[in-house]
Amino acid sequence: MSGQKRILLIISGGIAAYKCLELIRRLREKDFLVRAILTKAGSEFVTPLSVSSLTEDKVYGELFSLTDEAEMGHIQLSRDADLLVVAPASADILAKMANGLCNDLASTTLLATDKPVMVVPAMNVRMWEHPATKANMETLNQRGVVQVGPDEGVMACGEYGFGRMSEPADILQAIETHFSQESKPKQSSNTALRALVTSGPTHEAIDPVRYIANRSSGRQGHAIAAALAASGIETILVSGLTDLTPPKGVKLIPIESAREMLAACNDLLPVDITICAAAVADWRVKDAGSQKMKKEKGGLPTLELVENPDILHAISNAGKTRPSLVVGFAAETENVVNHAQAKRKRKGCDWILANDVSEGTGTFGGTENTIHYITNDGVTDWPKMTKQAVAERLVEEILAHFADLGKTTDQAAAD
């Protein structure tokens, strides 16, 4: 499946290093070849023997090892792989990468490489939010380094926030997405098309501290934007707050609320294609507080809710600026197909991709989806697949749709 792609995994220091063992196992299951560099700090958390047992290869660690340099020097290590993955990527190694410092095998290899690099940050939330770390990540992103995570949650230190290393399944999906996009050169015939994708959750303020939101990760919308851009379509992504890295070649417009998302979409019309994959909150607080609401003893606050704008309906019925193709998503917990078919008619969109997000499916916020592809011609049930695969299949349908439109136009001109 990977075509024997070669991964050089650089394991730096941090409690999250244990996740790399699972990542190696998953990579090997997908037929990737994995070679590892283990830093001195990383070896405090996982052993060379455990890493070597899973990679089925020697583990490298010493810059000045005569044996290692003779057998596989750092220059060769840096260029022998198809992709370098730094996981976990500590604040220290990110700083070295951003500033061109190299005092060990890992940092020297990273400086010497001419291959793509992916980093998976993992550190304390305060370290992640420090201006120095933010500046280093911005520098690396500008250089084309792919970033995966970090995730939000409780950390080993007991604090809560962004800084958790992404799960092995998410890292694997990012690696597969990288190689999938790399193997599909942009098609010049699609450059005339322009697409708008919405993604992520919306956050509806209760007061300056609290908000109403949902469990959307934004993975599906971001994957769709990436697949569209990889096909050569000019793509703009309007997204709520996520911890995902914007896809390569995609213009990102960040928003928070449903009203901000609608305003951004209206400003971007007309486009040829709109895909509404965002999980927009149905309601918002009518009068959000300008100050933090205080907990009153013996009483609970009353929140009056009002409906948010219906973005999919608004775009589907935009008159002269309506896109040629409007695609919506229907996340349902019961009667999935019936509810989605009714939604397609009610909203006025062309296609609906319906998926079951009932408890236990793990699809909402997860890495996989089971899609029912609904058009005017009927329903096609897609098998369970990764969100990246869903995105690629949807783009194939879109390209086929516009190819048919082109044939129809040509036939009409000939008649």
Side-chain angles (χ1 to χ4, degrees):
M1 185 175 180
S2 68
Q4 288 285 286
K5 293 292 186 180
R6 295 166 296 178
I7 306 295
L8 178 60
L9 178 62
I10 298 175
I11 306 172
S12 74
I15 187 64
Y18 77 91
K19 291 184 179 180
C20 289
L21 302 179
E22 173 69 9
L23 174 61
I24 295 168
R25 185 184 68 79
R26 286 175 175 263
L27 286 166
R28 297 294 291 126
E29 286 178 349
K30 293 287 188 177
D31 206 27
F32 286 97
L33 299 175
V34 184
R35 178 172 282 139
I37 292 177
L38 184 61
T39 68
K40 184 177 180 180
S43 65
E44 297 292 329
F45 298 94
V46 294
T47 66
L49 179 59
S50 61
V51 175
S52 178
S53 297
L54 291 167
T55 61
E56 300 179 33
D57 200 343
K58 178 181 175 66
V59 174
Y60 297 83
E62 296 297 329
L63 177 59
F64 298 110
S65 166
L66 293 177
T67 302
D68 288 352
E69 283 296 300
E71 293 179 354
M72 176 64 73
H74 63 277
I75 299 296
Q76 187 62 30
L77 272 172
S78 72
R79 298 177 184 175
D80 195 46
D82 297 297
L83 174 68
L84 280 69
V85 179
V86 187
S90 64
D92 177 70
I93 201 164
L94 292 174
K96 288 179 179 177
M97 292 172 66
N99 293 282
L101 302 178
C102 51
N103 60 357
D104 61 6
L105 179 61
S107 56
T108 302
T109 301
L110 286 162
L111 191 63
T113 193
D114 57 357
K115 298 299 178 66
V117 177
M118 177 181 292
V119 296
V120 188
M123 66 197 72
N124 171 269
V125 60
R126 299 188 190 282
M127 295 172 70
W128 175 248
E129 293 177 349
H130 194 282
T133 305
K134 291 296 186 186
N136 290 335
M137 277 310 314
E138 184 176 350
T139 297
L140 294 175
N141 288 334
Q142 288 174 351
R143 291 177 188 163
V145 172
V146 178
Q147 176 188 338
V148 181
D151 293 344
E152 185 179 25
V154 178
M155 298 175 208
C157 61
E159 294 196 67
Y160 183 92
F162 284 100
R164 283 175 59 92
M165 177 173 157
S166 295
E167 295 303 313
D170 296 333
I171 303 169
L172 174 61
Q173 181 174 351
I175 291 170
E176 290 184 316
T177 298
H178 165 80
F179 285 116
S180 174
Q181 292 177 1
E182 187 181 70
S183 65
K184 291 184 177 180
K186 292 186 177 183
Q187 303 173 25
S188 59
S189 59
N190 300 324
T191 56
L193 294 175
R194 193 161 173 260
L196 164 64
V197 181
T198 69
S199 183
T202 63
H203 288 185
E204 310 299 334
I206 297 174
D207 60 25
V209 176
R210 307 173 181 91
Y211 56 82
I212 298 171
N214 55 60
R215 301 179 190 275
S216 172
S217 66
R219 289 190 182 99
Q220 188 64 84
H222 279 59
I224 291 168
L228 286 165
S231 75
I233 296 174
E234 180 187 350
T235 306
I236 306 166
L237 179 64
V238 178
S239 178
L241 299 175
T242 76
D243 59 350
L244 302 174
T245 304
K248 280 186 179 180
V250 172
K251 180 181 179 181
L252 173 68
I253 299 179
I255 56 86
E256 289 193 18
S257 70
R259 286 177 289 180
E260 289 177 0
M261 181 172 280
L262 178 60
C265 290
N266 283 336
D267 288 344
L268 293 167
L269 295 180
V271 294
D272 301 290
I273 307 152
T274 293
I275 302 172
C276 293
V280 180
D282 292 321
W283 308 283
R284 68 177 187 275
V285 176
K286 183 177 181 181
D287 296 307
S290 59
Q291 302 295 328
K292 179 183 176 182
M293 296 172 62
K294 296 298 182 182
K295 188 176 180 181
E296 300 289 343
K297 188 175 181 180
L300 294 174
T302 300
L303 299 178
E304 184 179 355
L305 301 180
V306 294
E307 280 193 44
N308 263 329
D310 189 327
I311 297 172
L312 178 57
H313 182 274
I315 293 175
S316 298
N317 297 274
K320 292 182 179 180
T321 59
R322 185 194 192 278
S324 173
L325 178 65
V326 181
V327 182
F329 272 75
E332 304 289 350
T333 58
E334 60 178 350
N335 299 325
V336 175
V337 172
N338 289 340
H339 285 166
Q341 287 175 320
K343 179 176 181 177
R344 190 180 79 86
K345 293 178 182 178
R346 187 171 66 253
K347 304 290 186 178
C349 60
D350 302 295
W351 301 347
I352 280 277
L353 273 63
N355 62 314
D356 185 351
V357 295
S358 57
E359 187 174 357
T361 61
T363 58
F364 202 68
T367 59
E368 294 184 319
N369 259 338
T370 302
I371 293 294
H372 306 278
Y373 169 60
I374 301 171
T375 70
N376 198 45
D377 296 327
V379 181
T380 304
D381 297 325
W382 294 355
K384 188 172 185 178
M385 60 182 84
T386 66
K387 291 183 176 179
Q388 171 203 336
V390 169
E392 291 173 354
R393 182 156 178 177
L394 175 59
V395 171
E396 288 175 2
E397 296 288 349
I398 290 170
L399 296 178
H401 170 78
F402 280 95
D404 287 342
L405 282 181
K407 290 176 185 176
T408 301
T409 304
D410 292 342
Q411 289 169 357
D415 292 343

